[in-house]
Amino acid sequence: MDKIKILVASYNGEKYIEEQILSILDQNNIVGDIIISDDSSSDKTVSIIQSKFPELNCSVNKPGTGSAANNFLKMVANLENEDQFHYICFSDQDDIWLPEKLSAAITKLKEDKADLYCSNLIKWDTSTNSLTPLKKDFPQKKYDYLFEGGSAGCTYVLTRALAFELKAFINNRLDTSNWDEFSHDWLIYFFARYNQYKVTIDSNSYIYYRIHDSNVHGHLNKLSLSTIKSKFSKVLEGYHIIHARNFIKYVNKNSEEYAIYEAFLGGYFKRNWMILKYNTQLMRNTKKLLIFMLLNLFKFR
């Protein structure tokens, strides 16, 4: 039976952590090894884990890493060659996994001969208790990984080979110390695609992705005027430029990817000429791409 290491990042998650762990323990047809890394919670998260699930491996970062993204990558960085697993995956602290989530992901990885699995999500808005699909399985484009991630990281499953190459990259090259709004979701998708690992994005969903006021990014998936305004403002304030300045450090200077980033960072005219030139190769979702193109025309800095 397939063995999978499940990396759980927690921080002040006392409201939800028990439900999340129970849904992980209820997974079908896999052997799971749950590793919980708590980022110095100030609530009862750790005591709940220790009292309800004393058999689980739970460590506390002192001091905390400062974000869920850094917490996840710290766990990847600490993987050992002696660890017995075929796959790793990431778990937030506040979702609900359907029992077939991991077995379905592993089956699809095998069928597609892929190294990174992502999927659609079922958005669970707790303010209305409504469930709606959140589509991520748009066809992959040649350079989409330069400007967006594959899906939410809580859907990701990585093969052992990809996990250990990612570990080496984290330990030997990656620097996130001055990377505003750093996203492990996007980084892992970028790393896999740039290094020619095959990625599969499942049209099915096996996770209730809980949306609530304390989400780090999940609240941005709410469909509201304030959310749309927030997303537009992020682009106009340089969201993609901030990430491009960091990602460009990790691409070959003689590559097409470097040329794309260089043009994107080269000022108004170079940026928009590049977007016009590559257009549909830059993002999977046509509607998202058109908004990206339009907003960059109005971004003069």
Side-chain angles (χ1 to χ4, degrees):
M1 194 173 289
D2 293 302
K3 296 180 180 179
I4 183 163
K5 190 175 287 288
I6 302 155
L7 308 181
V8 183
S10 65
Y11 177 70
N12 288 351
E14 63 181 7
K15 290 182 181 179
Y16 314 111
I17 191 67
E18 183 177 355
E19 277 187 296
Q20 174 71 85
I21 293 173
L22 286 171
S23 74
I24 296 173
L25 292 172
D26 198 35
Q27 292 298 293
N28 295 333
N29 302 317
I30 57 100
V31 175
D33 178 19
I34 302 174
I35 307 296
I36 305 170
S37 176
D38 185 82
D39 222 31
S40 290
S41 290
S42 58
D43 66 0
K44 297 179 182 178
T45 300
V46 174
S47 62
I48 290 171
I49 295 167
Q50 292 174 338
S51 62
K52 299 282 187 178
F53 310 101
E55 74 281 9
L56 298 185
N57 182 339
C58 178
S59 61
V60 178
N61 298 320
K62 294 183 179 180
T65 65
S67 71
N70 287 332
N71 196 358
F72 280 124
L73 293 192
K74 181 179 179 181
M75 286 188 275
V76 175
N78 289 334
L79 292 173
E80 298 288 348
N81 288 323
E82 296 76 21
D83 291 348
Q84 299 298 309
F85 66 88
H86 303 105
Y87 304 92
I88 70 166
C89 68
F90 304 102
S91 171
D92 294 339
Q93 64 183 359
D94 50 7
D95 301 321
I96 300 292
W97 289 10
L98 302 185
E100 65 272 29
K101 178 183 187 297
L102 294 180
S103 59
I106 291 170
T107 296
K108 187 156 181 65
L109 282 168
K110 291 177 178 178
E111 289 176 349
D112 294 352
K113 295 181 172 59
D115 284 280
L116 174 61
Y117 168 94
C118 320
S119 78
N120 288 342
L121 304 102
I122 300 167
K123 183 173 63 174
W124 178 16
D125 189 337
T126 57
S127 66
T128 59
N129 200 31
S130 60
L131 299 174
T132 53
L134 188 55
K135 184 176 174 63
K136 298 291 184 178
D137 68 319
F138 300 97
Q140 293 173 64
K141 304 297 183 178
K142 188 173 183 180
Y143 297 114
D144 63 3
Y145 57 93
L146 299 181
F147 294 96
E148 61 182 354
S151 182
C154 54
T155 71
Y156 286 13
V157 179
L158 290 68
T159 60
R160 183 182 179 92
L162 175 56
F164 275 103
E165 187 164 347
L166 178 64
K167 172 191 171 175
F169 172 73
I170 294 167
N171 286 331
N172 299 324
R173 296 190 63 197
L174 183 64
D175 178 10
T176 65
S177 56
N178 295 306
W179 193 331
D180 291 342
E181 297 194 61
F182 170 70
S183 163
H184 69 289
D185 315 8
W186 187 353
L187 175 82
I188 294 169
Y189 183 65
F190 166 90
F191 181 82
R193 289 285 310 278
Y194 180 70
N195 288 287
Q196 299 183 333
Y197 284 95
K198 186 175 181 181
V199 179
T200 185
I201 306 178
D202 198 343
S203 60
N204 297 305
S205 175
Y206 306 97
I207 180 171
Y208 290 160
Y209 184 56
R210 196 189 309 246
I211 307 299
H212 55 86
D213 292 338
S214 301
N215 279 122
V216 176
H217 298 297
H219 67 283
L220 292 175
N221 288 298
K222 282 189 174 183
L223 184 59
S224 67
L225 187 60
S226 63
T227 298
I228 294 169
K229 183 179 177 181
S230 176
K231 288 182 176 181
F232 283 13
S233 295
K234 283 167 74 73
V235 175
L236 292 172
E237 290 167 5
Y239 173 79
H240 292 96
I241 287 175
I242 290 168
H243 290 291
R245 284 176 180 154
N246 285 280
F247 279 123
I248 196 172
K249 301 172 187 175
Y250 306 110
V251 299
N252 189 306
K253 288 188 176 182
N254 297 317
S255 67
E256 191 79 2
E257 289 91 342
Y258 190 91
I260 289 171
Y261 272 148
E262 190 174 44
F264 188 71
L265 297 170
Y268 180 84
F269 292 105
K270 287 184 178 179
R271 181 176 74 247
N272 283 289
W273 173 249
M274 182 281 294
I275 293 172
L276 181 63
K277 177 182 177 181
Y278 289 95
N279 58 79
T280 58
Q281 297 179 64
L282 300 179
M283 288 185 175
R284 299 190 302 279
N285 182 344
T286 302
K287 184 185 295 184
K288 182 178 176 181
L289 172 65
L290 290 173
I291 293 171
F292 174 74
M293 295 174 74
L294 183 62
L295 290 177
N296 272 282
L297 284 174
F298 287 97
K299 177 176 170 50
F300 297 103
R301 292 184 289 112

